[in-house]
Amino acid sequence: MRPGSFGAMAELRVFPLACVVQNYAWGKLARDSEVARLLASSEPILRIELDKPYAELWMGTHPKGDSLILDNRISQKTLGQWIAENPGCLGSKVKEIFNGQLPFLFKVLSVNTALSIQAHPNKELAVKLHAQYPEHYPDANHKPEMAIALTNFDGLCGFRPVEEIVAFLQKVPEFRALIGNVAAEQLERSVADDPRGVSAALRICFTRMMKSEKKVCAEQLNLLVKRITQKAALGEDTSASCGDLLLKLHSQFPGDIGCFAVYFLNLVKMEPGDCMFLGANEPHAYLHGDCIECMACSDNTVRAGLTPKFIDVLTLCEMLNYTPAPPSSKLLIPTQSRLDPCVTIYDPPIPDFAVMKIQIPSTVKLYLVSAIDSASILLVLKGAAVGTSTAATSEMVLRPGTVLFISANESVSLRLSVPEGMLLFRACCLL
């Protein structure tokens, strides 16, 4: 090695990434998928298969999708390998607190059919599950996550206000039959007389549903679907039974116990820019739409329904947060940066990650992606620019789908090359 050549290599602290795409069956087909659009734009020579679902784009160092480094002057092939050898790039606090690991996984999701009803364990439970069942729980980390809508986006999240659940028990006889009268009456009584008993009564009701016999569930679901279908055919209103959503989920997962979860969980409807935060033990299922997602670097999922995958009913019913709350309580309100009018910050109540939305107006031709004391991953959603940095030895072309890794305390100057401005998202760790 020539003297000084390491110095030249060490200066490469900002570089483009090629990221892993997951073609899960629930993803949108190519022509409607934001994931496919970004992939086609960033890698024009890549052939997009129109009949294939493009579900998730993974940006980060997770072993199931470690991003590739697109700079042949860097000897390491993946971002995970590079960070392991250059942990200082994380920023001093991040490096110390997260043991030299990038603490977040950044994603784009394009959801066509419902994902499984699921929850993610807290740290303590994750360690236990991973030790006991590593084939189902691949790591020992918690997985809080945050979804920022790119299109209209629907999801189920958290237990509904208990009055709504009681109303369904009274108006949907098939739901009540599945729960049983004793558990249903206990929940009804707790609303009136015993607010502290609500969570316990809710746990009993949900557990009764999840543990109901397959045959009983199928019978009641068939009766319910038949009744709602007949009412809809007569032009009658089926909203008191969540008719439209129930029929939609049943068409995607016929006979699945998860269809009844619409009576327990809030339907959260988001518009572009809205954000939902999902803490540990929060039951949820994404239903439809495109979003940016950021999470702790984990793939631990405890599933409850709407899935052909392994369902761990016991663990799920034990771990859930049975606190009823309205859908608005699941939304995270972003804050405007005091330093930069183009930046909106989505900062959840956990240390592992935050996301900045950078909206550069068409009047701005030069923009500085500022240095922060954390490694970050920058994704271009709209617009184009040429990027330069003292930590990158050559110019970088940015267009929709471009992903850059930016080491801590490095900045990137953008010279916008199209008149319509830019939209970027940047995942980082704001300790």
Side-chain angles (χ1 to χ4, degrees):
M1 189 184 276
R2 292 193 319 277
S5 64
F6 176 74
M9 290 303 294
E11 285 163 21
L12 283 170
R13 291 165 51 82
V14 172
F15 43 80
L17 300 172
C19 299
V20 171
V21 169
Q22 310 284 8
N23 302 99
Y24 303 139
W26 50 258
K28 291 186 178 183
L29 294 180
R31 70 179 76 249
D32 297 320
S33 166
E34 185 67 19
V35 171
R37 182 186 77 82
L38 293 171
L39 194 64
S41 163
S42 65
E43 300 187 40
I45 54 171
L46 193 80
R47 197 171 70 82
I48 300 292
E49 298 175 53
L50 294 180
D51 57 348
K52 206 172 180 180
Y54 286 78
E56 296 191 354
L57 179 71
W58 286 29
M59 299 165 277
T61 59
H62 194 279
K64 275 175 67 177
D66 198 355
S67 298
L68 296 172
I69 295 173
L70 288 179
D71 190 321
N72 53 19
R73 292 163 298 185
I74 295 174
S75 58
Q76 295 86 357
K77 293 286 179 281
T78 72
L79 182 59
Q81 292 166 356
W82 189 84
I83 290 175
E85 293 186 28
N86 299 276
C89 74
L90 295 168
S92 54
K93 281 188 194 164
V94 178
K95 176 186 162 186
E96 185 184 340
I97 290 172
F98 295 103
N99 302 317
Q101 310 272 326
L102 188 71
F104 56 82
L105 179 59
F106 198 27
K107 294 184 180 182
V108 180
L109 269 63
S110 292
V111 180
N112 186 42
T113 58
L115 280 68
S116 56
I117 295 165
Q118 56 188 249
H120 305 299
N122 60 21
K123 272 238 165 77
E124 191 185 350
L125 181 60
V127 169
K128 197 170 117 187
L129 291 174
H130 177 59
Q132 288 177 323
Y133 312 106
E135 69 279 17
H136 297 307
Y137 303 105
D139 54 74
N141 201 10
H142 67 163
K143 193 190 175 190
E145 58 190 22
M146 177 168 81
I148 303 168
L150 294 173
T151 59
N152 287 342
F153 192 89
D154 294 347
L156 297 172
C157 180
F159 284 97
R160 291 173 176 270
V162 72
E163 297 78 9
E164 293 180 19
I165 300 171
V166 165
F168 288 129
L169 282 168
Q170 291 165 354
K171 290 175 187 167
V172 185
E174 300 85 354
F175 177 44
R176 194 179 186 96
L178 203 63
I179 302 300
N181 256 330
V182 175
E185 284 169 8
Q186 189 179 342
L187 189 66
E188 286 161 349
R189 276 198 309 274
S190 72
V191 176
D193 309 330
D194 181 16
R196 285 178 306 178
V198 165
S199 288
L202 193 50
R203 176 197 285 255
I204 290 166
C205 286
F206 188 77
T207 304
R208 284 294 301 265
M209 180 189 84
M210 289 307 303
K211 290 185 175 174
S212 59
E213 287 180 37
K214 271 214 167 88
K215 183 167 163 280
V216 177
C217 168
E219 283 168 3
Q220 294 302 331
L221 191 53
N222 286 338
L223 287 171
L224 178 58
V225 167
K226 189 176 172 187
R227 186 167 65 80
I228 290 176
T229 306
Q230 286 170 348
K231 284 186 84 166
L234 294 169
E236 294 179 30
D237 179 18
T238 63
S239 59
S241 306
C242 276
D244 291 349
L245 180 55
L246 185 106
L247 292 181
K248 184 178 176 183
L249 292 179
H250 185 261
S251 71
Q252 294 174 10
F253 298 93
D256 193 295
I257 186 74
C259 296
F260 280 106
V262 299
Y263 301 126
F264 278 114
L265 304 181
N266 287 301
L267 175 60
V268 180
K269 294 178 100 58
M270 299 198 294
E271 294 177 357
D274 288 348
C275 175
M276 177 161 59
F277 174 68
L278 304 160
N281 306 329
E282 194 75 78
H284 63 279
Y286 295 156
L287 300 176
H288 192 268
D290 301 86
C291 72
I292 293 283
E293 193 179 43
C294 200
M295 62 191 64
C297 192
S298 167
D299 205 27
N300 282 328
T301 299
V302 186
R303 294 182 180 83
L306 303 182
T307 179
K309 292 182 181 175
F310 171 71
I311 292 183
D312 190 346
V313 173
L314 283 175
T315 300
L316 187 95
C317 292
E318 277 296 304
M319 71 186 269
L320 289 184
N321 167 16
Y322 290 98
T323 308
S328 58
S329 68
K330 307 305 168 191
L331 296 178
L332 181 101
I333 308 302
T335 55
Q336 187 64 48
S337 164
R338 292 195 305 273
L339 304 172
D340 184 340
C342 298
V343 172
T344 308
I345 303 168
Y346 299 85
D347 188 9
I350 41 114
D352 307 54
F353 58 83
V355 173
M356 299 177 182
K357 180 170 88 169
I358 305 173
Q359 185 102 47
I360 308 171
S362 55
T363 50
V364 173
K365 297 301 169 223
L366 290 171
Y367 180 81
L368 184 72
V369 179
S370 57
I372 53 175
D373 191 24
S374 161
S376 62
I377 293 177
L378 183 73
L379 168 69
V380 181
L381 253 283
K382 291 178 184 155
V386 173
T388 53
S389 172
T390 54
T393 52
S394 54
E395 290 187 335
M396 298 164 286
V397 175
L398 279 70
R399 53 178 170 245
T402 296
V403 181
L404 291 187
F405 177 77
I406 305 173
S407 293
N409 306 305
E410 302 293 353
S411 58
V412 179
S413 300
L414 302 181
R415 192 169 71 251
L416 277 67
S417 45
V418 287
E420 69 265 24
M422 288 186 88
L423 174 62
L424 310 101
F425 285 88
R426 182 185 192 183
C428 60
C429 191
L430 297 177
L431 293 172

